[in-house]
Amino acid sequence: MQYLAILACRFSPAAHAFSAAMPCCGGNIDVSGLTPVPFTDVYTNIGGGYNASTGTYTCPVTGTYVFAVAIRSQEDKQALCDLRVGGQWKASVRADGRGGSLAQATNVIVT
Protein backbone atom coordinates (compact mmCIF):
# COMPACT_ATOMS: atom_id res chain seq x y z
CA MET A 1 0.00 0.00 0.00
CA GLN A 2 1.41 3.37 -0.91
CA TYR A 3 -1.06 5.78 0.67
CA LEU A 4 -3.84 5.61 3.18
CA ALA A 5 -5.82 8.59 4.42
CA ILE A 6 -8.78 9.04 6.70
CA LEU A 7 -10.88 12.04 7.56
CA ALA A 8 -13.50 12.56 10.23
CA CYS A 9 -15.44 15.70 10.93
CA ARG A 10 -18.34 17.14 12.89
CA PHE A 11 -19.47 20.68 12.27
CA SER A 12 -22.15 21.53 14.84
CA PRO A 13 -22.21 22.79 17.54
CA ALA A 14 -18.40 22.91 17.54
CA ALA A 15 -15.92 21.86 14.88
CA HIS A 16 -14.08 18.59 15.44
CA ALA A 17 -12.06 17.16 12.57
CA PHE A 18 -8.92 15.29 11.67
CA SER A 19 -7.12 14.28 8.54
CA ALA A 20 -4.12 12.00 8.49
CA ALA A 21 -2.21 9.89 6.00
CA MET A 22 0.33 7.12 5.85
CA PRO A 23 2.68 7.34 2.88
CA CYS A 24 4.53 4.12 2.26
CA CYS A 25 7.58 3.81 0.06
CA GLY A 26 6.96 0.46 -1.56
CA GLY A 27 6.71 -1.43 1.71
CA ASN A 28 3.96 -3.71 2.90
CA ILE A 29 1.79 -3.12 5.92
CA ASP A 30 0.66 -6.46 7.26
CA VAL A 31 -1.78 -6.37 10.14
CA SER A 32 -4.27 -8.94 11.29
CA GLY A 33 -7.36 -8.92 13.42
CA LEU A 34 -8.57 -5.57 14.68
CA THR A 35 -5.19 -3.86 14.82
CA PRO A 36 -5.55 -0.08 14.32
CA VAL A 37 -3.10 1.31 11.79
CA PRO A 38 -1.64 4.63 12.98
CA PHE A 39 -1.62 7.39 10.37
CA THR A 40 1.71 9.08 11.00
CA ASP A 41 1.27 12.28 8.97
CA VAL A 42 -1.39 14.36 10.74
CA TYR A 43 -2.54 17.39 8.73
CA THR A 44 -5.50 18.51 10.84
CA ASN A 45 -6.56 17.61 14.37
CA ILE A 46 -9.18 20.16 15.42
CA GLY A 47 -10.41 19.26 18.87
CA GLY A 48 -7.51 16.86 19.50
CA GLY A 49 -9.57 13.68 19.04
CA TYR A 50 -7.06 11.83 16.83
CA ASN A 51 -4.18 9.96 18.50
CA ALA A 52 -1.40 9.39 15.96
CA SER A 53 0.39 6.96 18.30
CA THR A 54 -2.53 4.54 18.56
CA GLY A 55 -4.30 5.23 15.26
CA THR A 56 -7.62 5.88 16.98
CA TYR A 57 -10.04 8.79 16.93
CA THR A 58 -12.14 9.49 20.01
CA CYS A 59 -15.24 11.52 19.27
CA PRO A 60 -15.17 14.31 21.87
CA VAL A 61 -18.94 14.91 21.83
CA THR A 62 -22.02 12.91 20.92
CA GLY A 63 -23.33 13.62 17.46
CA THR A 64 -23.27 12.66 13.81
CA TYR A 65 -19.86 12.14 12.25
CA VAL A 66 -18.61 11.64 8.69
CA PHE A 67 -15.68 9.28 8.13
CA ALA A 68 -13.97 8.97 4.76
CA VAL A 69 -11.09 6.72 3.75
CA ALA A 70 -9.04 6.46 0.57
CA ILE A 71 -6.51 3.71 -0.12
CA ARG A 72 -4.20 2.92 -2.99
CA SER A 73 -2.48 -0.38 -3.70
CA GLN A 74 0.83 -1.07 -5.36
CA GLU A 75 1.04 -2.86 -8.67
CA ASP A 76 0.21 -6.56 -8.29
CA LYS A 77 -0.91 -6.01 -4.66
CA GLN A 78 -4.19 -5.38 -2.93
CA ALA A 79 -5.05 -3.06 -0.05
CA LEU A 80 -7.94 -3.81 2.32
CA CYS A 81 -9.24 -1.59 5.08
CA ASP A 82 -12.19 -1.74 7.49
CA LEU A 83 -13.82 1.30 9.07
CA ARG A 84 -14.90 0.53 12.63
CA VAL A 85 -16.77 2.64 15.14
CA GLY A 86 -16.58 1.50 18.75
CA GLY A 87 -15.01 -1.73 17.51
CA GLN A 88 -18.02 -2.48 15.31
CA TRP A 89 -17.59 -2.93 11.55
CA LYS A 90 -19.20 -0.13 9.50
CA ALA A 91 -17.65 -0.36 6.03
CA SER A 92 -14.77 -1.81 4.02
CA VAL A 93 -12.53 -0.45 1.30
CA ARG A 94 -10.60 -2.61 -1.16
CA ALA A 95 -8.15 -1.51 -3.84
CA ASP A 96 -7.08 -4.46 -5.99
CA GLY A 97 -4.02 -3.89 -8.16
CA ARG A 98 -3.35 -7.59 -8.74
CA GLY A 99 -4.06 -7.09 -12.45
CA GLY A 100 -0.73 -5.32 -12.84
CA SER A 101 -1.67 -1.70 -12.26
CA LEU A 102 -2.18 0.66 -9.34
CA ALA A 103 -5.66 0.66 -7.83
CA GLN A 104 -7.45 3.18 -5.65
CA ALA A 105 -10.67 2.94 -3.64
CA THR A 106 -12.68 5.24 -1.36
CA ASN A 107 -15.61 4.90 1.01
CA VAL A 108 -17.58 7.27 3.25
CA ILE A 109 -19.82 6.56 6.22
CA VAL A 110 -22.09 8.79 8.28
CA THR A 111 -22.63 7.60 11.80
Side-chain angles (χ1 to χ4, degrees), residues 78-93:
Q78 64 178 332
L80 306 167
C81 178
D82 283 342
L83 292 171
R84 295 183 175 270
V85 177
Q88 299 295 313
W89 176 89
K90 294 293 182 178
S92 295
V93 184

Side-chain angles (χ1 to χ4, degrees), residues 6-9 16-20 39 42-46 49-50 56-57 67:
I6 192 163
L7 167 72
C9 59
H16 297 278
F18 82 96
S19 62
F39 303 100
V42 179
Y43 303 112
T44 304
N45 196 9
I46 299 168
Y50 180 67
T56 58
Y57 178 73
F67 293 89

Side-chain angles (χ1 to χ4, degrees), residues 24-92:
C24 295
C25 300
N28 291 324
I29 300 167
D30 188 11
V31 296
S32 59
L34 302 178
T35 306
V37 177
F39 303 100
T40 55
D41 294 345
V42 179
Y43 303 112
T44 304
N45 196 9
I46 299 168
Y50 180 67
N51 184 324
S53 298
T54 63
T56 58
Y57 178 73
T58 302
C59 300
V61 296
T62 302
T64 301
Y65 286 80
V66 176
F67 293 89
V69 65
I71 61 174
R72 186 172 69 192
S73 71
Q74 297 175 339
E75 292 179 13
D76 296 319
K77 305 280 184 189
Q78 64 178 332
L80 306 167
C81 178
D82 283 342
L83 292 171
R84 295 183 175 270
V85 177
Q88 299 295 313
W89 176 89
K90 294 293 182 178
S92 295

